[in-house]
Amino acid sequence: MCGDERKRIVQRARVLSVSTPRDRVLDEIRKQYVMTARAKGCSERQVLYNHVFRNAMLIVIAGFPGAFVHAFFTGALLIETIFSLDGLGLLGFESVLNRDYPVVFATLYIFSLVGLLVNLISDLTYTWVDPRIDFETREA
């Protein structure tokens, strides 16, 4: 891989990871309720933190765990192979090839546990950012 290809890969990764929250905030700033809050006399800080930030970050927080877990699982094997590291991704891959089922199940268990913890943290962050969201009062 030459230097130009690396630069392009890094640029694509930055665009995918950085542009989403910014785009969400810019989309929210243009909405009607933001103009209404400004017309009511709210300060710019109140408008940004109480209205724009909450609504813009909800989508980012909801999408983060899926992206993180996906990158963590697929990136583990790739990074460990490229940099000759020993880790769970390579261990799981080699155990599948060697049909070492207890190790396969152990790596799957650890990766699943990490995924569940990330989703739990996401849900807690969701309720912290916007207290209007309540997981207790759901109708069946």
Side-chain angles (χ1 to χ4, degrees):
M1 200 184 300
C2 66
D4 290 335
E5 289 179 52
R6 287 185 192 146
K7 186 176 179 181
R8 288 183 188 142
I9 290 173
V10 169
Q11 286 173 344
R12 288 180 191 145
R14 285 183 62 200
V15 166
L16 288 174
S17 65
V18 176
S19 67
T20 303
R22 180 180 178 272
D23 290 341
R24 289 293 172 192
V25 169
L26 291 176
D27 288 342
E28 291 294 322
I29 284 177
R30 295 184 192 111
K31 291 193 176 173
Q32 188 71 35
Y33 70 91
V34 175
M35 288 187 272
T36 304
R38 286 183 179 141
K40 284 183 176 181
C42 294
S43 68
E44 194 65 25
R45 184 177 183 162
Q46 285 178 326
V47 170
L48 287 177
Y49 285 111
N50 293 342
H51 300 282
V52 175
F53 175 75
R54 281 186 180 171
N55 293 325
M57 288 300 115
L58 289 178
I59 297 168
V60 174
I61 291 169
F64 174 73
F68 173 75
V69 170
H70 176 71
F72 181 70
F73 293 160
T74 58
L77 176 62
L78 184 65
I79 290 171
E80 290 166 9
T81 305
I82 290 172
F83 295 110
S84 299
L85 301 171
D86 292 330
L88 284 176
L90 189 60
L91 176 69
F93 179 71
E94 289 177 352
S95 62
V96 167
L97 293 179
N98 296 330
R99 295 184 180 175
D100 189 4
Y101 296 118
V103 177
V104 171
F105 289 133
T107 55
L108 282 174
Y109 177 76
I110 292 170
F111 281 144
S112 300
L113 189 64
V114 168
L116 287 172
L117 287 174
V118 168
N119 281 332
L120 177 66
I121 291 169
S122 170
D123 286 344
L124 292 174
T125 308
Y126 216 69
T127 58
W128 178 67
V129 167
D130 194 357
R132 296 175 295 174
I133 297 172
D134 185 19
F135 293 112
E136 294 292 323
T137 57
R138 287 191 188 179
E139 294 182 18

